[in-house]
Structure formats: C-alpha cells, structure tokens
C-alpha cells in the first residue's frame, strides 16, 4: 500500500485548468473527461491527465497547497479566459505561480466569454478590447500566442451549450504538439481498429458482404463528419475574425460574418451578421504619418486624405482600400483638400505655401502649382462659379486670394483678414475671422465686410463652419461650447450648446445642415442634432490622439475623421440610428402609434389628445379630444386604426376620421389604466387598480365583464384566445378570453415591479419588462421562463415590444436608451440607441419592421432605422453595393468549404 500511494502522488498532469465563475464550473468536468478519453483505447490510461479543482471555496493555506502541488506536476496551464477570470484573485495567483516557475510559452488561453484582441502595433493585447484577459498576462507574450474561443452549439434544454469536443481537440493538439487534423485522424484510426475487430468476428461467421457494406458506410460517414468538423472550424474562425476586425476593418469583418452565414446558417452565424451590420463601425485608412485633411468626392465613392508627409491618398469608401498610386508633389504637410463639383479635379494645399490641382483619373498634377510666395496655405475651396479657386491663411492675418483655374494666376488684390482666420464658406463666397472684438465676416468677391462685429456668447472662438445651404454658421469656443448663428439676420440661434470636453479642433455641417460634427483634442468625435440642440448618439471613439479634420459624405451617411494617430476613420452613421429629426410632441402623458405606423396619438398634461403625422413630423388636424383626465391617461388604437380608445377617469372611444365619440362612454368614472384591443377589434381590455374589464364591442351598448383582478398592464394573444395580465405580486396571470377564467400564471421571478408585457407575433412567447433592469421571456403554453434574463438597461426597463417577424425585441428604459435584442441568441444587437434626454416611456415597430418609433418624457418621439435587425443579410448586401464579389470569398475564407455567392 505505501508503494502504491507514492506512485499515485507522483503522477503528473498534462493540463492544469485555471478558471473562475459558476458558468465555467458546470461544464469543465465534461471537458476534462473528453480530454482524458480522447484518442485512446478504453483499456489504456489517458495520454493527457487533467488537474481540475472543483471545491469552489475561498483560497486558504490548505487548499492552496493542493493547487500548488497540481501546478507543480503540470506541463501546461490552460486559462479559461472570461470577465470573471479577469477579476479573479484565484486565477491571478495561479498565473503568477506559473510565470515564476514555468514559461509563458506553456500558457494556453481558451476564451469562454468576453473577447481577446491582439494589437499588432503594440505587440501586446489591446487593454480596452481584451475584456477576458487576466491582467497578469499583459505584456508577457513576445508575439501573439495560440488561443481558442469556445463555440456555442444548439442544445434542446439550455438553448446553447459549449462545444466541449472542439475545446478538447484544441487543447490536446497544443499539449501534444499535433495538428487538430492529426488528432482527428488518430481518433479515426482507433475507430477503424475497432471495426477491424468486428470484421474479424464477422469473417469467422462468413458475413463478408456485410463487412464490405459496413466499411463503405463508415467511410461515407467519416468523410461527412470530417467535412462537418472542418466547416464548423472554419465558421468559428470567421466569426472570431469578424469580431476582432469589427473596429479596425468593418468591411473585412462583414465579409467574414456573411461568409460564415453562407457556410452554416445557424443562430450564431446570423447574430455575427447582425452584429456586423448593426454596429456603426469605423473603417481605418492607415497612413504612416499624422493626417491633417480629408474630403469626399461628390459621388461619395472616394475619400481623399493627406498627411504630414505631403502625400495625398485616394480610397474607395465601400471597400476602404487605396485606389491607384498616391499624389506626390507637396514637400510639407497637407492642410486642406477639396474636390471640384464634377469630381474630376482635386485641389490640395500645404504648409509649403502651394496649392496644386490634380487629375483624379490620371493621378497627375495639372499645370504648375499656385504659389502664394509666403507662409502656408491653410484652406482651399472651389469658387461658386466653378472657374476659380479660393485660398486662405498663408500668414497670421489670414490673407485670402482668388485664383483663375485656367491661368493659375491670382485675380485681383488679396483680402487681408482682420484677425485669426477661421473658415471659408464651401463655395468661397464668405470668409470668417476671429478678431479681438469678436467675429467678423467678409464677402470675398467684393472684399468688403458683411455687417458689423458679432459678439460670441462663449469664450474665444477657435473654429467656425458655414452650413452648405449658407443660412447658418456655427462657432466653437475654447471652452468646448457651440453657438449657432443665423447668417442673414446675424443673430444667435438658441442658447450656447455646452459639450462634454474642451479642445474642439474643427467642426463641420452635414450636407442637409441638420447635424454638426466636432473633432476634439482627446481624439473623440461627436455629432450634434441642430434641431434639438443636443447630441445625436454617443461619441465616436477610436482615435488615440487629436482628431484634426472631419468630413461628411454627400448623402450624410458616412463621416470621415482624420487624426494625429496616423489614421482616417470612416464612421457608418446610418445603422441603428435616427431617421430624420425627432418629432417635437411636447410633454406626453400618454402616447400610441397607429397600427399602420403613420400616426401618433399624444395626450398632453392639459388633457387634450392630438394626432401627429409620423412621416411629415407635424401635427395634423385639430384637437381629437379634450378634458382627458391628466391622472395616468392611456391610449390604444383599434387594429384597423379607425378608432382610438382613451382611458383616464372613465373610458371612451373616438372615431379618428370624424373626431366624434363612438357610442356612449364605456366607463363614466374610474381609472381605466392599461388598454389593449383584441386582434379582431371586437373586444377591448382595460386594466386598472381595482379590476380588469373585457368589453364586447359587438353589442349595443358594449358590455363589460370584470375579471376581478388588479392590473396596470394587459396583453391579448395574437389569436385572441388568451389574456395576460400583471398581478399584484408581479407575476403574469393567464385567462381564457371566452370563459374569462384563469388558466395559469408564471412563477415569481422578477425582483421588482413589472412595467410591461408583450406577446410574440406567433403567440408562443411573452416578454415581461421590470424595474429590476431585466426583460424575461416566457413559454405561453407552459408558463415557464425561457433562457436567461436580458440585461443591459440601468434604472429599470419601462417598455417592451416584439418585431413583426418575432426575431427581435425592442426595449426602452429609465436610462434614456432604446435597445434591440436578438431572441435566438439572447444577445443585445449593437450599441444602445441614444438620443432621448429623459425616460423612454414607449416603443412600437412599424408594420415592415424596418423602423422603430420610441417616445420619452423629454417631449419627443424618435424614429430609428432598424432594417439591419429585420434582415441582416440583405442589409449587409445593400450596404456593400456589389463589393462582395467572388474574390472577397477567396481572400477572406480559409481553404476547404465550397465557395458560395456572398450576395446572390
């Protein structure tokens, strides 16, 4: 016995599994079993032994001694990387021991949650993007190590479960120094060995024909399984690469996500496409020096950028790849770039004091440079007549000159500015300077001032931009404030807009003059909604140092930003973003969207109900109803949109077209609370603090049946047979609409008050929103919860609604955001949709599912373009505009899977 005990103690381990968190604890025993059983006969010991501690207790002297002994007898440390492992003291201590006594070359990372991002320029992990990396491993690897992400496979019970076989195969291949294909072949050889034994027995029995048939079947199955595993590995690789490339190269990321979907159309690959198409990603156009200037061609297909080396590069907007050779002529930094209106000619200015014209198609300079003879040229624009060029800023006085494009000679005398030069209008008609006494505008053609001095409300103006329509200009001050001005009246528009940080380097208007983009010294870029005087979405984060220039594409869908970090970033601002300006409804006590998505009904604090045309963003007609009690009114449209139900102190129906009551009030008094029509419009359900009423609208007068249940949220199933109501204990109660009897209820699951309930379009699922920051899904047949809660909002979820196809869920919250959720994977789609300045109180999809309307306590309703969520594959193909060619498949997809059209 002593000898046997000593031998067992000295047994070594091939792998030590380091992990943290209950999620990984549940499936790691299975991983250990698969690794130890892999590629060996049943009667032989394992080729790789795995050390796994499952005590789950706090680190103590006795337990650490056990862990340290396991580490000492192990050849490889496999770290299950996740946000939990990143913050685990246990994992940190195990890694520290390993780095002290072993080599980092024997550390293998397996990502179970979060992300790992390797930064090639740093030669280390990206500290912000690597949400799963334990801090102890930062700076330890000399080059990017081999690591593996855990696949999620469909599971009938849990929805999705880790691909244990795939992880085991990857770990074993690294530990044993064999390729995964070699390990698969090894397992196949073992299978064949067993089959040979079976053949021998069969031969003894004389069943030669059966043996041949068996071998043929096994060969076919083996080839099929090998193909499946190969394709699965390629798909996982594409998904991982798409995630890693999302911020750096969205075009490549979208190609890889779409290819993964074409190979294997699963919920996981669909979400990869969805995530790639939904996020407002930025493509990176890399220079080797700081970039000072950027401009779009008139057709939006080309971007020109110039840097500190005096070189101008042209890029395709869609593919984000360079086009032809660069334009070389300036010998100092580029300061400004402008395309001619026809897009055939490009003008560039530089610190070398010259302006040069370029033939865009031939990539050649046109004629001799325009030489001012002194200082640098800071700005260049084509004149309004198309035959002149206007330049400015070659000295401290901001001198402006006009040049003849044919002769390259100066026209007339120069205009010496009255102070620091700020900007030229896009057509060269006006110039702006910051003088000691304020802002001054001059007419370039006549060389005369336009009006008197303008006193800016903020501090010293550092940047100015004229709107494309010439009606407005904006001034940014040194404290980070923005002030809009009416160019004709020469008066400020609204109040000064404060921004989150100082150091605005430049500003520019969108083509429709409704947005303003500002670049900051901290590298941030922000968009401002000029109609509302507030931010349009969150900041565009990507640059690592000062952003120098910003430019909109002609259709306003893409924003380019240039930075000292040697890059230009292209931001797609269309996806999951607002469609047009918000609808200024004023204060809202209740709001409802008509079933056709065209009309918004709003009840205000004065007790009046009005209708708004969603497309025109304006109020239509007169007052629909008056004297609506301001205490918690509710509104609901009948499915055909012809009748509006109004609940407050009483309940009544109004004909939307005639603005007249439909019959007598259903209730003369008493709070009606929540309202919802049945799908056929023949019934109406009203919930309140005392009871729920089901109204039969086919009788004259309509009759109501009280269910005797309390509820402030009600929903009728799509087939009209079942009613779901929120109970006093914050569960869902189900009632039969025909018999009015309760048929079941969900268990108590939320930890705070329920705020909303919605049915899926097929009637199989319900979603509940709660003040506990979660949304939960329920099986309508069993009244049991489906999957894990959806978490993301802060401060409580206020509303929930399904998309028309049932694949997406939209939620609004007290955190002023609207969020989209992919129901197949339970994951949030893209970033939160920001724009509301107060609590979101409701949301609804339009019939096609491509637009989402939301309304909030800030007095606005906003429309969001959610077409990417409705059909992510089509959205990507439309975005690519034919750029996803067969060549893209060959460039992006590893060999093996049969090529398929990315966009048939």
């Amino acid at each position: 016995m002593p000898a046997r005990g000593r031998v067992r103690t000295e047994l070594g381990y091939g792998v030590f599994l380091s992990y943290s968190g209950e999620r990984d604890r549940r499936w790691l025993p299975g991983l250990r079993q698969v690794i130890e059983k892999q590629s060996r006969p049943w009667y032989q010991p394992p080729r790789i032994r795995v050390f796994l501690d499952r005590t789950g207790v706090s680190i103590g002297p006795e337990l650490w001694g056990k862990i340290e002994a396991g580490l000492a007898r192990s050849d490889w440390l496999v770290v299950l990387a996740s946000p939990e492992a990143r913050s685990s003291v246990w994992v940190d201590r195990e890694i520290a021991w390993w780095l002290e006594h072993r080599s980092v070359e024997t550390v293998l990372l397996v990502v179970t949650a979060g992300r790992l991002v390797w930064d090639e320029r740093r030669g280390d992990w990206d500290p912000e993007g690597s949400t799963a990396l334990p801090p102890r491993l930062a700076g330890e690897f000399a080059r990017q190590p081999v690591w593996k992400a855990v696949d999620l496979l469909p599971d009938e019970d849990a929805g999705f479960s880790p691909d244990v076989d795939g992880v085991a195969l990857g770990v074993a291949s690294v530990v044993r120094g064999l390729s995964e294909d070699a390990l698969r072949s090894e397992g196949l050889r073992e299978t064949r060995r067993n089959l040979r034994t079976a053949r021998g027995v069969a031969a003894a029995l004389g069943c030669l024909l059966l043996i041949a048939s068996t071998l043929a079947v096994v060969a076919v199955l083996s080839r099929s399984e090998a193909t499946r595993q190969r394709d699965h590995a390629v798909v996982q690789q594409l998904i991982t690469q798409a995630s890693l490339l999302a911020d750096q190269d969205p075009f490549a990321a979208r190609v890889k996500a779409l290819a993964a979907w074409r190979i294997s159309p699963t919920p996981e690959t669909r979400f990869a496409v969805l995530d790639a198409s939904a996020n407002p990603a930025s493509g990176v156009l890399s220079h080797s020096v700081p970039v000072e200037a950027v401009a779009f061609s008139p057709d939006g297909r080309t971007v020109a950028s110039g840097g500190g080396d005096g070189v101008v590069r042209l890029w395709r907007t869609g593919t984000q790849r360079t086009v032809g050779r660069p334009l070389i002529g300036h010998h100092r930094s580029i300061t400004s770039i402008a395309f001619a209106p026809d897009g055939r000619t490009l003008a560039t200015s530089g610190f070398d004091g010259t302006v040069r014209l370029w033939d865009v198609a031939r990539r050649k300079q046109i004629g001799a440079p325009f030489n001012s003879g002194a200082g640098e040229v800071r700005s260049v624009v084509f004149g309004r007549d198309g035959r002149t060029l206007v330049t400015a800023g070659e000295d401290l006085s901001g001198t402006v000159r006009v040049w003849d494009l044919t002769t390259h000679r100066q026209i007339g005398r120069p205009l010496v500015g009255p102070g620091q030069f700020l900007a030229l209008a896009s057509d060269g008609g006006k110039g702006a300077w910051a003088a000691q006494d304020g802002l001054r505008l001059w007419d370039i053609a006549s060389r005369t001032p336009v009006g008197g001095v303008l006193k800016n409300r903020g501090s010293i103006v550092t940047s100015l931009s004229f709107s494309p329509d010439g009606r407005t200009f904006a001034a940014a001050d040194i404290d980070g404030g923005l002030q809009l001005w009416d160019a004709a009246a020469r008066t400020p528009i609204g109040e000064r807009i404060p921004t989150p940080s100082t150091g605005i380097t430049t500003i520019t208007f969108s083509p429709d003059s409704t947005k303003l983009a500002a670049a900051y010294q901290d590298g941030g870029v922000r968009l401002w909604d000029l109609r509302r005087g507030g931010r349009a979405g969150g900041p565009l984060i990507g640059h690592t140092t000062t952003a120098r220039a910003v430019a909109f594409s002609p259709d306003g869908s893409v924003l380019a930003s240039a930075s000292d970090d040697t890059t230009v970033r292209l931001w797609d601002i269309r996806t999951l973003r607002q469609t047009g300006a918000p609808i200024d409804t004023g204060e809202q006590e209740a709001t409802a969207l008509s079933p056709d998505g065209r009309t918004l009904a709003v009840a205000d604090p004065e007790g009046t109900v009005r209708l708004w045309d969603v497309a025109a963003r304006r109020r239509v007609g007169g007052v629909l109803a008056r004297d609506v009690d301001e205490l918690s009114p509710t509104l609901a449209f009948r499915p055909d949109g012809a009748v509006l139900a109004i609940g407050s102190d009483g309940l009544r129906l109004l004909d939307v077209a005639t603005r007249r009551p439909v019959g007598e009030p259903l209730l003369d008094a008493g709070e009606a609370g929540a309202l919802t029509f049945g799908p056929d419009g023949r019934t109406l359900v009203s919930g309140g603090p005392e009871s729920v009423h089901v109204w039969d609208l086919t009788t004259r007068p309509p009759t109501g049946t009280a269910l005797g249940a309390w509820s402030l949220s009600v929903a009728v199933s799509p087939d009209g047979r079942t009613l779901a109501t929120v109970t006093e204990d914050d569960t869902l109660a189900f009632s039969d609409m025909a018999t009015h009897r309760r048929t079941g209820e969900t268990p108590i699951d939320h930890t705070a008050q329920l705020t909303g309930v919605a049915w899926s379009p097929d009637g199989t699922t319900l979603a509940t929103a709660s003040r506990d920051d979660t949304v939960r899904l329920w099986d309508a047949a069993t009244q049991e919860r489906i999957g894990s809660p959806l978490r993301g909002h802060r401060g409580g979820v206020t509303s929930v609604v399904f998309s028309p196809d049932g694949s997406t869920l939209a939620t609004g919250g007290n955190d002023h955001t609207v969020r989209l959720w992919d129901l197949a994977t339970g994951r949030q789609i893209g970033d939160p949709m920001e724009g509301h300045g107060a609590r979101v109180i409701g949301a609804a999809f339009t019939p096609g599912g491509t637009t989402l309307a939301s309304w909030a306590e800030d007095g606005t309703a906003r429309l969001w373009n959610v077409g990417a969520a409705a059909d992510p594959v089509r959205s990507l193909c439309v975005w690519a505009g034919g750029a996803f060619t067969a060549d893209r498949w060959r460039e992006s997809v590893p060999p093996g899977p049969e090529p398929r059209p990315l966009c048939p």
Side-chain angles (χ1 to χ4, degrees):
M1 292 296 293
R4 292 182 61 190
R6 185 165 54 254
V7 171
R8 180 176 180 80
T9 300
E10 293 174 356
L11 282 174
Y13 297 94
V15 169
F16 183 104
L17 294 180
S18 177
Y19 71 97
S20 179
E22 184 61 30
R23 178 188 64 251
D24 290 343
R25 189 192 310 279
R26 290 196 296 267
W27 68 276
L28 288 186
L31 175 63
R32 176 174 68 177
Q33 184 180 26
V34 174
I35 293 175
E36 292 186 343
K37 286 186 176 182
Q38 194 175 57
S39 300
R40 71 171 181 89
W42 62 270
Y43 53 83
Q44 291 182 1
R47 288 191 172 96
I48 304 173
R49 294 184 70 239
V50 179
F51 182 93
L52 171 65
D53 174 70
R54 287 188 292 170
T55 58
V57 301
S58 300
I59 298 177
E62 180 179 348
L63 180 57
W64 177 248
K66 173 185 173 184
I67 297 298
E68 191 173 26
L71 287 165
R73 296 197 299 276
S74 299
D75 299 324
W76 282 80
L77 176 66
V78 176
V79 179
L80 281 299
S82 67
E84 293 87 347
R86 178 185 177 93
S87 60
S88 170
V89 175
W90 188 307
V91 172
D92 182 78
R93 190 170 178 181
E94 291 167 348
I95 295 174
W97 187 98
W98 194 269
L99 295 177
E100 180 180 355
H101 298 86
R102 298 282 193 271
S103 168
V104 73
E105 299 297 328
T106 54
V107 175
L108 176 61
L109 295 172
V110 177
V111 181
T112 64
R115 292 184 2 176
L116 291 181
V117 179
W118 182 264
D119 189 337
E120 290 293 348
R121 291 189 299 176
R122 292 165 51 95
D124 196 7
W125 301 106
D126 183 339
E128 296 183 359
S130 300
T131 60
L133 180 72
R136 184 75 64 171
L137 291 175
E140 293 294 334
F141 294 96
R143 60 184 181 276
Q144 182 175 6
V146 176
W147 57 279
K148 185 174 181 66
V150 176
D151 297 344
L152 294 179
L153 299 178
D155 187 291
E156 292 182 359
D157 297 325
F160 290 90
S161 61
D163 179 13
V164 176
D165 291 339
V167 177
L169 185 65
V171 172
S173 69
V174 174
V175 172
R176 294 186 60 195
L178 298 174
S179 67
E180 293 189 11
D181 287 340
L183 285 181
R184 292 191 187 97
S185 298
E186 191 176 71
L188 186 57
R189 286 195 298 272
E190 186 58 39
T191 300
R192 288 171 175 168
R193 186 180 299 115
N194 292 334
L195 289 174
R196 285 196 295 271
T197 302
R199 279 203 310 273
V201 174
L205 299 175
C207 298
L208 297 178
L209 180 60
L210 179 60
I211 295 173
S213 300
T214 302
L215 286 174
V217 170
V218 169
V220 172
L221 293 178
S222 297
R223 285 195 298 271
S224 176
E225 178 61 17
T227 299
R228 187 195 70 80
Q229 291 189 12
R230 179 206 63 199
D231 287 356
H232 178 75
V234 170
V235 165
Q236 186 57 41
Q237 181 179 349
L238 290 170
I239 292 174
T240 301
Q241 291 174 343
S243 177
L244 295 176
L245 291 171
D247 294 332
Q248 295 298 318
D249 192 347
F251 182 86
R254 291 168 176 180
V255 171
K256 290 179 181 294
L258 190 55
W261 163 261
R262 293 301 183 195
I263 295 172
S264 177
T266 65
E268 185 183 14
T269 56
R270 182 185 184 276
F271 182 80
V273 176
L274 189 59
D275 198 46
S277 63
N279 276 313
S282 64
V284 179
L285 314 181
S286 296
H287 285 247
S288 59
V289 295
V291 188
E292 305 283 344
V294 63
F296 280 92
S297 63
D299 61 7
R301 297 179 179 179
T302 305
V303 177
S305 57
D309 55 1
V311 175
V312 177
R313 289 173 171 82
L314 300 179
W315 313 77
R316 282 291 179 221
T317 308
T319 63
Q320 294 154 21
R321 300 292 188 269
T322 55
V323 183
R325 60 182 182 274
L327 309 181
I328 300 176
H330 292 280
H331 59 268
R332 294 187 64 188
S333 179
I334 302 297
T335 58
S336 180
I337 299 174
F339 278 92
D342 61 6
R344 299 176 181 177
T345 305
L346 187 72
T348 60
S349 63
F351 277 115
D352 60 4
T354 68
V355 176
R356 299 169 188 265
L357 293 182
W358 306 87
D359 185 309
V360 174
R362 299 172 59 199
R363 304 292 192 279
K364 289 186 176 182
Q365 185 171 317
I366 303 172
F370 301 78
N371 198 329
S372 64
E376 75 273 5
V377 181
R378 294 178 54 192
S379 182
V380 57
V381 297
F382 283 88
R384 67 182 66 178
D385 57 6
R387 294 177 294 181
T388 57
L389 202 65
V390 183
T391 65
E394 67 265 26
D395 49 38
L396 294 178
S397 61
T399 302
V400 174
R401 302 172 189 267
V402 181
W403 306 82
D404 186 297
L405 287 176
T406 304
T407 64
H408 289 211
R409 292 182 178 180
Q410 186 173 313
I411 301 173
R413 68 182 187 281
L415 168 61
V416 179
Q420 181 185 2
F421 171 75
L422 293 176
L424 290 173
S426 59
D427 62 359
K430 290 186 178 66
W433 286 263
Q436 292 183 350
D437 53 355
L439 292 174
R440 291 180 177 268
L441 304 183
W442 286 69
D443 182 273
I444 303 301
S446 64
R447 275 77 167 175
T448 58
V450 180
V453 178
L454 302 177
K455 299 289 186 179
N456 197 56
R457 294 177 177 177
S459 55
I460 299 174
V461 174
T462 58
S463 181
L464 185 143
S465 177
F466 291 93
S467 65
D469 60 15
R471 299 177 180 177
T472 311
F473 64 89
D477 58 51
I478 198 170
D479 295 327
L482 296 171
Q483 179 64 61
L484 297 179
W485 292 81
D486 185 306
R490 301 173 51 76
T491 56
I493 301 175
E495 298 296 323
R496 174 178 177 270
I497 305 171
T499 70
S501 62
T502 60
I504 296 178
T505 59
T506 186
I507 55 178
T508 190
F509 280 86
S510 63
D512 62 2
S513 302
T514 63
K515 292 184 179 66
L516 194 71
Y520 291 78
Q521 289 181 353
D522 61 6
V525 177
R526 292 177 172 85
L527 294 175
W528 302 89
D529 185 333
L530 300 183
R531 295 182 181 179
R532 292 287 302 167
R535 277 177 285 178
L540 305 178
I541 303 298
H543 290 300
T544 58
T545 186
T546 304
R548 293 291 181 188
V550 284
F552 281 95
S553 63
D555 64 358
S557 65
V558 180
L559 180 71
S561 59
S563 168
D564 282 352
D565 65 6
T566 74
T567 67
V568 174
R569 287 183 175 267
L570 300 183
W571 305 91
D572 182 351
I573 60 176
R574 295 170 297 186
T575 52
L576 291 185
R577 286 297 179 263
Q578 296 178 56
T579 302
I583 304 172
D584 293 310
T585 61
E587 291 188 62
Q588 308 168 40
E589 293 296 321
T591 307
L593 183 69
S594 64
D596 61 8
R598 298 177 179 177
T599 306
L600 206 64
V602 178
D604 62 28
E606 283 70 41
T608 60
V609 178
R610 293 181 171 88
L611 298 181
W612 293 76
D613 185 307
V614 171
R617 289 173 171 75
R618 59 181 176 83
R619 200 163 56 197
V620 292
V623 174
L624 185 65
R626 297 184 184 276
D627 302 324
V628 175
D629 184 60
E630 62 187 40
L631 178 63
S632 301
T634 52
L635 304 173
F637 279 97
R638 199 170 68 183
D640 61 4
V643 173
L644 182 69
I646 303 175
S648 54
D649 186 15
L651 176 59
R652 49 181 161 157
L653 303 178
L654 285 176
D655 185 291
V656 174
T658 64
R659 288 174 162 70
R660 294 180 178 178
V662 179
E664 296 297 320
L666 303 182
L667 286 175
D668 289 322
E671 188 176 344
L675 296 175
T676 184
F677 280 90
D680 58 5
R682 298 180 179 181
T683 56
L684 175 67
V685 179
S686 62
E690 298 184 5
S691 65
V692 173
H693 278 78
V694 178
W695 302 90
D696 184 348
L697 303 181
T698 62
T699 63
R700 289 293 181 268
T703 57
T705 302
L707 300 186
W710 173 94
S711 182
L712 290 180
S713 188
V714 294
V716 179
S717 63
D719 61 8
R721 297 178 180 179
T722 307
L723 173 66
T725 59
V726 174
T727 65
E728 290 181 336
D729 59 1
D730 290 311
T731 65
L732 281 183
F734 297 90
S735 301
D736 187 291
M737 285 286 286
T739 64
H740 299 159
R741 294 180 180 178
R742 181 175 291 196
T743 58
E745 62 182 31
T746 62
I748 298 176
D749 203 10
H750 285 285
T751 59
Q753 182 183 11
L754 292 183
T755 55
V757 57
W759 286 87
S760 63
D762 61 4
T764 62
T765 308
L766 289 100
T768 53
S770 169
R771 293 184 184 274
D772 65 5
D773 294 344
T774 69
V775 174
R776 299 175 191 256
L777 301 176
W778 305 89
D779 186 301
T782 64
Q783 286 91 55
E784 295 180 354
R785 196 180 79 185
I786 302 172
S788 301
L790 308 181
R791 301 181 183 275
H793 285 284
R794 296 291 181 268
V797 187
T798 58
S799 56
V800 60
V801 61
F802 282 88
S803 64
D805 65 1
S807 65
T808 306
L809 201 67
T811 58
N814 283 320
D815 56 5
H816 308 177
T817 69
V818 180
R819 299 169 190 254
L820 294 183
W821 307 85
D822 176 46
L823 294 180
T825 61
R827 298 168 66 182
Q828 183 173 311
I829 301 171
D831 296 327
M833 293 180 281
E834 299 177 328
H836 286 296
R839 181 172 74 106
V840 178
I841 56 178
F845 284 92
T846 57
T850 59
T851 301
L852 177 72
S854 63
W855 44 93
E857 290 182 343
D858 62 358
T860 68
R862 294 176 182 264
L863 302 180
W864 310 89
N865 175 13
V866 294
D871 191 343
V873 174
R874 180 179 181 276
S875 176
L876 273 194
C877 289
V878 170
W879 174 85
F884 289 164
T885 62
D887 288 339
R888 301 297 176 193
W889 180 283
R890 289 190 290 271
E891 293 173 2
S892 303
V893 181
E898 179 184 354
R900 300 163 174 83
L902 289 167
C903 293

